[in-house]
């Protein structure tokens, strides 16, 4: 029988022991519990299926559909100057740097260590006898080289995890931009609403002033009473208060817009009355919901994080395997002599060889790390699954709202016409002495309320359109992450 050499036997023993210990990574039922949901299996519901004519995905500058040049300028300024955009950019740069750090683990490394020291030797005859009572130089210089043999792809997976996180952070930045654009548009719509309500209230004040003047004329002509004058005067202060409140609201909303621009309140002074007009019809892309995953920045970010979490499991599993490094060093070292004498040829020394680190007993640390990585994967998967449901819900909600608002607007316009007719009848009857002022007051209140409802429905339509565009991704293209690929599923399990 041929005798196996000792070095060969040692290598085989190390490999067998390593594989045995590494097998513990699959024991104990430590593996992910969640599965990535396929968006194609989700029922989009009747609201989305019956949304009307098919339309393309939102254009990049989707807010231009409102036809307001001032709004276009505000959105552009907000994206350029809002601190949240600078914060998002900084996070991307940070993630890029972390990816560079992770990738460095796959590359060889070199390090130069130099030590120069002056040494006063001991007087002990048994220690440093040849240098007794002397001051000498104790110098060394070493150029060390190291390379990690990534047999189990730990470094490779760590790099890919950092790159996936970089993609996720970049998608987060796009999501923050989309959220900012939507906030500017919706705030601008509220500004338009307050101006409309102010118009209605000021019109009401003028009507009330006319009624008061009429009450005075009737009283002077002996047809009216002081009570009618008092009743007509009573409503004026409240209407003026409402006008003041609306002017306050306009000022506050303009300040809010200035803050969204990343500027001080002084920037609000240049914001004039909105001139919004929305002509776009309701329609959804034919590829919904399949392409939604690549259109919504927040869903894209969630996908990348699922991918990164799967790589984290692979890194945790690799920790059960031996870690092998190839090391080499060269450099001079010497004690005694002059300052630079250690640089001479005889003082050169070299070291080289492999270094193997093998986990044997870690007190459950490796299992804990694997369990945490698996649970982290489940968290990211369920977050992604929840986002899919919420995204479709958000789209369906806005479609329902837009369709309902159109129907409500038709009814509201009819109510305004009826209220205006009623107010005209009540006013003429009061002028002729056929009715009292309370009927006029009730007719005015009803007319004002219907006018406000029309304004509010218009604002609701404008806001719902903005929310629908952002729910569809707002025209921001994202990088698709292959979450449900076979490789990812294999790594996760």
């Amino acid at each position: 029988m041929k005798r196996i050499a000792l070095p060969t036997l040692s290598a085989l023993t190390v490999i067998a022991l390593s594989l045995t210990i590494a097998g513990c990574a699959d024991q104990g039922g430590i593996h992910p519990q969640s599965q990535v949901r396929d968006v194609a299996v989700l029922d989009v519901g009747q609201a989305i299926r019956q949304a009307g004519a098919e339309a393309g995905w939102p254009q990049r500058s989707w807010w231009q559909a409102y036809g307001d040049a001032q709004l276009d300028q505000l959105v552009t300024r907000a994206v350029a100057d809002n601190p949240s955009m600078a914060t998002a950019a900084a996070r991307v740069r940070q993630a890029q740097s972390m990816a560079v750090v992770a990738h460095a683990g796959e590359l060889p490394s070199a390090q130069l260590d130099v030590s120069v020291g002056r040494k006063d030797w001991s007087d002990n005859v048994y220690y440093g006898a040849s240098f007794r009572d002397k001051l000498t130089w104790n110098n060394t210089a070493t150029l060390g080289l190291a390379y990690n043999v990534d047999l189990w792809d730990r470094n490779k997976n760590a790099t890919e995890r950092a790159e996936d996180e970089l993609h996720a952070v970049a998608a987060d930045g796009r999501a923050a931009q989309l959220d900012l654009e939507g906030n500017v548009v919706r705030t601008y719509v509220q500004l338009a609403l307050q101006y409309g309500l102010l118009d209605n209230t000021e019109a009401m004040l003028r009507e009330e002033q006319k009624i008061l003047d009429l009450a005075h004329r009737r009283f002077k002509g002996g047809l009216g009473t002081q009570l009618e004058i008092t009743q007509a005067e009573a409503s004026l202060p409240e209407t003026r208060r409402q006008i003041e409140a609306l002017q306050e609201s306009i000022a506050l909303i303009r300040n809010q817009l200035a803050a969204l621009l990343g500027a001080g309140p002084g920037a609000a002074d240049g914001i004039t009355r909105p001139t919004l007009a929305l002509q776009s019809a309701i329609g959804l892309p034919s590829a919904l919901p399949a392409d939604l995953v690549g259109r919504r920045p927040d869903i894209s970010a969630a996908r990348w994080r699922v991918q990164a979490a799967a790589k984290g499991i692979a890194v945790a599993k690799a920790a059960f395997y031996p870690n092998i490094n190839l090391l080499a060093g060269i450099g001079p070292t010497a004690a005694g002599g002059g300052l630079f004498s250690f640089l001479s040829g005889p003082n050169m020394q070299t070291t080289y060889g492999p270094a193997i680190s093998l986990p044997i007993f870690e007190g459950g640390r490796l299992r804990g790390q694997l369990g945490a990585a698996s649970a982290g994967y489940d968290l990211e998967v369920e977050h992604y699954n929840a986002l899919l449901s919420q995204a479709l819900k958000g789209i369906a909600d806005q479609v329902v709202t837009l369709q309902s608002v159109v129907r409500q607007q038709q009814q509201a316009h009819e109510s305004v016409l009826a209220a205006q007719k009623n107010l005209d009848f009540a006013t003429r009857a009061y002028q002729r002495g056929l009715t009292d002022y309370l009927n006029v007051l009730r007719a005015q209140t009803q007319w004002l309320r219907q006018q406000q409802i029309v304004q509010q429905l218009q604002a609701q339509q404008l806001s719902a359109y903005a929310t629908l565009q952002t729910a569809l991704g707002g025209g921001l293209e994202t990088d698709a992450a292959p979450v449900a690929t076979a490789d990812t599923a294999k790594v996760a399990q």
Side-chain angles (χ1 to χ4, degrees), residues 320-369:
F320 287 82
Y321 293 80
N323 188 28
I324 302 175
N325 288 281
L326 300 180
L327 305 175
I330 182 172
T333 182
L339 175 61
F340 299 105
S341 62
F342 79 110
L343 297 177
S344 60
N347 292 325
M348 297 295 292
Q349 62 179 3
T350 59
T351 59
Y352 53 87
I356 301 176
S357 174
L358 179 65
I360 296 178
F361 179 73
E362 295 285 342
R365 181 176 62 86
L366 297 182
R367 288 182 179 278
Q369 291 176 349

Side-chain angles (χ1 to χ4, degrees), residues 84-128:
S84 65
M85 293 296 93
T87 300
R91 286 174 178 163
V92 171
R93 294 195 301 272
Q94 184 183 51
Q96 288 174 334
S97 299
M98 296 307 297
V100 171
V101 172
H103 181 59
E106 297 186 74
L107 304 176
S109 63
Q111 181 171 323
L112 177 63
D113 294 317
V114 178
S115 174
V116 178
R118 189 73 161 153
K119 186 169 183 177
D120 183 4
W121 291 86
S122 170
D123 293 339
N124 192 319
V125 69
Y126 299 105
Y127 180 74

Side-chain angles (χ1 to χ4, degrees), residues 316-449:
K317 286 183 176 180
F320 287 82
Y321 293 80
N323 188 28
I324 302 175
N325 288 281
L326 300 180
L327 305 175
I330 182 172
T333 182
L339 175 61
F340 299 105
S341 62
F342 79 110
L343 297 177
S344 60
N347 292 325
M348 297 295 292
Q349 62 179 3
T350 59
T351 59
Y352 53 87
I356 301 176
S357 174
L358 179 65
I360 296 178
F361 179 73
E362 295 285 342
R365 181 176 62 86
L366 297 182
R367 288 182 179 278
Q369 291 176 349
L370 179 58
S374 298
Y377 176 84
D378 289 341
L379 290 173
E380 297 299 344
V381 167
E382 296 305 335
H383 176 63
Y384 169 77
N385 292 340
L387 274 180
L388 287 179
S389 298
Q390 289 298 318
L392 291 176
K393 172 188 176 297
I395 294 171
D397 286 350
Q398 300 315 310
V399 170
V400 169
T401 295
L402 286 168
Q403 292 175 338
S404 176
V405 165
V406 171
R407 294 189 293 268
Q408 291 182 59
Q409 284 177 326
Q410 295 173 350
Q411 300 298 324
H413 283 299
E414 293 179 7
S415 297
V416 168
L417 293 176
Q420 182 65 59
K421 185 181 297 185
N422 184 44
L423 177 59
D424 293 340
F425 286 155
T427 303
R428 285 197 296 269
Y430 176 68
Q431 290 173 339
R432 297 171 183 174
L434 301 177
T435 185
D436 59 16
Y437 175 73
L438 291 179
N439 287 332
V440 178
L441 181 60
R442 282 192 291 266
Q444 284 179 333
T445 303
Q446 184 181 16
W447 175 81
L448 176 61
R449 181 173 178 275

Side-chain angles (χ1 to χ4, degrees), residues 7-93:
T8 303
L9 179 62
S10 300
L12 291 176
T13 301
V14 169
I15 293 174
L17 181 60
S18 300
L19 294 177
T20 300
I21 295 175
C24 297
D26 297 324
Q27 297 179 5
I30 302 177
H31 58 80
Q33 305 296 318
S34 300
Q35 293 183 348
V36 175
R37 180 178 297 171
D38 184 0
V39 67
V41 305
L42 295 175
D43 186 356
V44 297
Q46 291 296 329
I48 292 179
R49 284 193 292 268
Q50 299 176 356
E54 293 181 353
W57 292 94
Q59 298 298 314
R60 180 61 199 91
S61 301
W62 55 268
W63 54 86
Q64 291 180 352
Y66 293 99
D68 189 319
Q70 180 176 236
L71 174 60
D72 298 342
Q73 296 173 0
L74 292 176
V75 174
T76 301
R77 285 183 59 187
V79 172
D81 299 335
N82 190 286
S84 65
M85 293 296 93
T87 300
R91 286 174 178 163
V92 171
R93 294 195 301 272

